[in-house]
Amino acid sequence: MIELHINDGIAEVVLNAPQKLNALNEEALAELSQAYDDAEAAGVRALLLRGEGRAFCAGRDISTVDPANDDAYAYLGGLVTPLLKKMAAFPAPTFAAAQGACLGVGLGLLVATDVVYVAENAKIGSPFANLGATLDSGGHWLFTERLGAHRTLDLIYTADLMSGSEAVAAGLFSRAFAADELLDRTREIVARVATGATGAFLASKELVAQIRDSRVGLWTAMEEENKAQGVLCGTDDYAEGFSAFIEKRKPVFQG
């Protein structure tokens, strides 16, 4: 179900089970984890996650789940959470292009990705009210952080879904594109970022993670930025970036 393609320093991880809306079972989660391991081992400079067909990922594949004997904690705590942590810590900028359904674990994949672009007609929310379950995979954190308590509980209680355009307008994700432009536009951006100063990007990625996870104050965050910049100023890419600016040419970063 999971495919990995590497070209020009860019990894493209593809959820390829469109007949079931790329829903994830235990085997697919293991394959996805392995794809991120392989991409890291290859030393890629950027990663794009996408889904084939009319949905990005409809969540957990529950087609073979026996509700009477299901251990959702083992599935989420033992399989999903470790994968999302691995994805969030990937040592290169990561992007997702998400169309159609982005629900449950599928939403979690987006939470664990650095930059998310969605199709204008994507469907995002919490369908769990219809299952007698609760939003998982980081959905509560994402919605409460970006939407506030009232809107979060509205979505959870009603199971209403937001469009991609609505989600971007509300601050959930970065940009919304027309569905037929989403992948091309995302690939263009990923290719541009992959030629950039990825060492500096990773410093920013770590700083944003610190701020998000610890809610540090402005001055603490600023001091951490200062420290990171102090390290970066000793790198080749830092010197190249400044030299290119002064010489009015395009920089060539090594990453």
Side-chain angles (χ1 to χ4, degrees), residues 87-109:
M87 292 172 60
F90 189 80
T94 61
F95 294 78
Q99 78 287 359
C102 309
L103 306 171
V105 178
L107 180 65
L109 300 182

Side-chain angles (χ1 to χ4, degrees), residues 223-235:
E223 177 59 21
E224 292 302 319
E225 290 171 345
N226 296 344
K227 292 177 182 177
Q229 200 75 297
V231 173
L232 290 169
C233 70
T235 65

Side-chain angles (χ1 to χ4, degrees), residues 57-58 100-108 110 122-129 134-136 139-140 142-143 147 151-152 154-164 167 172-173:
C57 177
C102 309
L103 306 171
V105 178
L107 180 65
L110 301 184
K123 298 299 181 185
I124 298 152
S126 174
F128 293 95
T134 191
L135 182 61
D136 57 40
H140 284 91
L142 177 70
F143 286 173
L147 304 177
R151 183 66 172 133
T152 295
D154 180 9
L155 290 170
I156 290 172
Y157 293 168
T158 65
D160 290 343
L161 302 180
M162 306 173 72
S163 70
L172 275 179
F173 301 120

Side-chain angles (χ1 to χ4, degrees), residues 106-117:
L107 180 65
L109 300 182
L110 301 184
V111 174
T113 300
D114 296 343
V115 179
V116 177
Y117 301 140

Side-chain angles (χ1 to χ4, degrees), residues 18-242:
Q19 71 281 2
K20 59 178 182 179
L21 303 182
N22 298 318
L24 299 169
N25 57 20
E26 288 83 350
E27 181 180 357
L29 289 172
E31 291 178 8
L32 186 54
S33 179
Q34 186 62 53
Y36 274 72
D37 286 341
D38 293 344
E40 179 176 353
V44 300
R45 296 181 64 178
L47 180 148
L48 167 60
L49 175 66
R50 67 178 183 88
E52 282 288 349
R54 59 191 179 91
F56 170 69
C57 177
R60 183 183 183 185
D61 182 0
I62 60 174
S63 61
T64 60
V65 171
D66 176 6
N69 297 293
D70 182 36
D71 189 343
Y73 182 82
Y75 172 79
L76 293 169
L79 299 174
V80 174
T81 299
L83 169 63
L84 298 183
K85 287 182 176 179
K86 176 184 292 188
M87 292 172 60
F90 189 80
T94 61
F95 294 78
Q99 78 287 359
C102 309
L103 306 171
V105 178
L107 180 65
L109 300 182
L110 301 184
V111 174
T113 300
D114 296 343
V115 179
V116 177
Y117 301 140
V118 295
E120 293 171 347
N121 61 356
K123 298 299 181 185
I124 298 152
S126 174
F128 293 95
N130 299 319
L131 297 172
T134 191
L135 182 61
D136 57 40
S137 305
H140 284 91
W141 178 89
L142 177 70
F143 286 173
T144 304
E145 171 77 8
R146 308 285 171 80
L147 304 177
H150 293 285
R151 183 66 172 133
T152 295
L153 293 176
D154 180 9
L155 290 170
I156 290 172
Y157 293 168
T158 65
D160 290 343
L161 302 180
M162 306 173 72
S163 70
S165 296
E166 290 170 335
V168 169
L172 275 179
F173 301 120
S174 182
R175 308 188 206 184
F177 298 120
D180 59 355
E181 298 178 1
L182 173 65
L183 186 54
D184 287 343
R185 295 287 298 274
T186 303
R187 282 172 169 161
E188 290 171 3
I189 295 169
V190 173
R192 185 168 78 237
V193 170
T195 63
T198 48
F201 295 158
L202 286 181
S204 290
K205 179 171 179 170
E206 292 172 3
L207 287 163
V208 169
Q210 290 175 17
I211 295 167
R212 180 193 64 194
D213 293 340
S214 64
R215 297 297 184 275
V216 299
L218 171 61
W219 307 118
T220 301
M222 193 172 295
E223 177 59 21
E224 292 302 319
E225 290 171 345
N226 296 344
K227 292 177 182 177
Q229 200 75 297
V231 173
L232 290 169
C233 70
T235 65
D236 291 340
D237 275 350
Y238 191 97
E240 167 65 8
F242 275 68

